[in-house]
PDB file of all heavy atoms in Angstrom:
ATOM      1  N   PRO A  22      41.300  82.305  55.866  1.00 41.00           N
ATOM      2  CA  PRO A  22      41.630  82.301  54.517  1.00 41.00           C
ATOM      3  C   PRO A  22      40.624  81.538  53.626  1.00 41.00           C
ATOM      4  O   PRO A  22      39.905  80.641  54.188  1.00 41.00           O
ATOM      5  CB  PRO A  22      42.983  81.609  54.472  1.00 41.00           C
ATOM      6  CG  PRO A  22      42.888  80.701  55.573  1.00 41.00           C
ATOM      7  CD  PRO A  22      41.982  81.323  56.687  1.00 41.00           C
ATOM      8  N   GLY A  27      43.778  74.826  44.049  1.00 55.00           N
ATOM      9  CA  GLY A  27      45.035  74.038  44.179  1.00 55.00           C
ATOM     10  C   GLY A  27      46.181  74.993  44.559  1.00 55.00           C
ATOM     11  O   GLY A  27      46.187  76.151  44.298  1.00 55.00           O
ATOM     12  N   ARG A 112      44.897  75.514  77.166  1.00 95.00           N
ATOM     13  CA  ARG A 112      44.469  74.979  78.536  1.00 95.00           C
ATOM     14  C   ARG A 112      43.174  74.172  78.270  1.00 95.00           C
ATOM     15  O   ARG A 112      42.552  74.337  77.237  1.00 95.00           O
ATOM     16  CB  ARG A 112      44.309  76.036  79.586  1.00 95.00           C
ATOM     17  CG  ARG A 112      43.292  77.105  79.229  1.00 95.00           C
ATOM     18  CD  ARG A 112      43.252  78.238  80.137  1.00 95.00           C
ATOM     19  NE  ARG A 112      42.227  79.283  79.729  1.00 95.00           N
ATOM     20  CZ  ARG A 112      42.295  80.475  80.151  1.00 95.00           C
ATOM     21  NH1 ARG A 112      43.222  80.972  80.928  1.00 95.00           N
ATOM     22  NH2 ARG A 112      41.257  81.301  79.833  1.00 95.00           N
ATOM     23  N   PRO A 130      38.552 105.305  60.467  1.00 92.00           N
ATOM     24  CA  PRO A 130      38.628 104.039  59.760  1.00 92.00           C
ATOM     25  C   PRO A 130      39.993 103.262  59.898  1.00 92.00           C
ATOM     26  O   PRO A 130      40.027 102.066  60.072  1.00 92.00           O
ATOM     27  CB  PRO A 130      38.493 104.395  58.265  1.00 92.00           C
ATOM     28  CG  PRO A 130      37.668 105.724  58.286  1.00 92.00           C
ATOM     29  CD  PRO A 130      38.149 106.352  59.577  1.00 92.00           C
ATOM     30  N   ALA A 146      37.121  85.979  66.716  1.00 97.00           N
ATOM     31  CA  ALA A 146      36.318  86.115  65.520  1.00 97.00           C
ATOM     32  C   ALA A 146      35.125  87.055  65.829  1.00 97.00           C
ATOM     33  O   ALA A 146      34.672  87.151  66.969  1.00 97.00           O
ATOM     34  CB  ALA A 146      35.773  84.758  65.080  1.00 97.00           C
ATOM     35  N   ARG A 188      30.189  78.814  62.410  1.00 96.00           N
ATOM     36  CA  ARG A 188      29.802  80.066  61.847  1.00 96.00           C
ATOM     37  C   ARG A 188      30.853  81.164  61.869  1.00 96.00           C
ATOM     38  O   ARG A 188      30.925  81.959  60.970  1.00 96.00           O
ATOM     39  CB  ARG A 188      28.597  80.640  62.673  1.00 96.00           C
ATOM     40  CG  ARG A 188      27.213  79.867  62.498  1.00 96.00           C
ATOM     41  CD  ARG A 188      26.230  80.374  63.429  1.00 96.00           C
ATOM     42  NE  ARG A 188      26.156  81.824  63.540  1.00 96.00           N
ATOM     43  CZ  ARG A 188      25.576  82.420  64.560  1.00 96.00           C
ATOM     44  NH1 ARG A 188      25.112  81.794  65.689  1.00 96.00           N
ATOM     45  NH2 ARG A 188      25.469  83.772  64.603  1.00 96.00           N
ATOM     46  N   PRO A 212      65.572  73.507  47.500  1.00 92.00           N
ATOM     47  CA  PRO A 212      65.582  74.340  48.602  1.00 92.00           C
ATOM     48  C   PRO A 212      64.635  75.607  48.549  1.00 92.00           C
ATOM     49  O   PRO A 212      63.914  75.876  49.405  1.00 92.00           O
ATOM     50  CB  PRO A 212      67.053  74.782  48.829  1.00 92.00           C
ATOM     51  CG  PRO A 212      67.760  73.600  48.239  1.00 92.00           C
ATOM     52  CD  PRO A 212      66.994  73.111  47.013  1.00 92.00           C
ATOM     53  N   THR A 217      59.718  78.304  50.013  1.00 92.00           N
ATOM     54  CA  THR A 217      58.415  79.040  49.634  1.00 92.00           C
ATOM     55  C   THR A 217      57.187  78.268  50.198  1.00 92.00           C
ATOM     56  O   THR A 217      56.327  78.972  50.634  1.00 92.00           O
ATOM     57  CB  THR A 217      58.432  79.120  48.056  1.00 92.00           C
ATOM     58  OG1 THR A 217      59.460  79.760  47.497  1.00 92.00           O
ATOM     59  CG2 THR A 217      57.108  79.606  47.512  1.00 92.00           C
ATOM     60  N   ASP A 229      45.059  79.679  61.933  1.00 96.00           N
ATOM     61  CA  ASP A 229      44.513  78.598  62.607  1.00 96.00           C
ATOM     62  C   ASP A 229      43.770  79.121  63.930  1.00 96.00           C
ATOM     63  O   ASP A 229      44.422  79.761  64.729  1.00 96.00           O
ATOM     64  CB  ASP A 229      45.557  77.574  63.048  1.00 96.00           C
ATOM     65  CG  ASP A 229      44.995  76.369  63.677  1.00 96.00           C
ATOM     66  OD1 ASP A 229      43.702  76.270  63.949  1.00 96.00           O
ATOM     67  OD2 ASP A 229      45.721  75.430  64.007  1.00 96.00           O
TER      68      ASP A 229
END
Side-chain angles (χ1 to χ4, degrees):
R112 61 190 179 198
R188 285 170 52 199
T217 299
D229 182 357

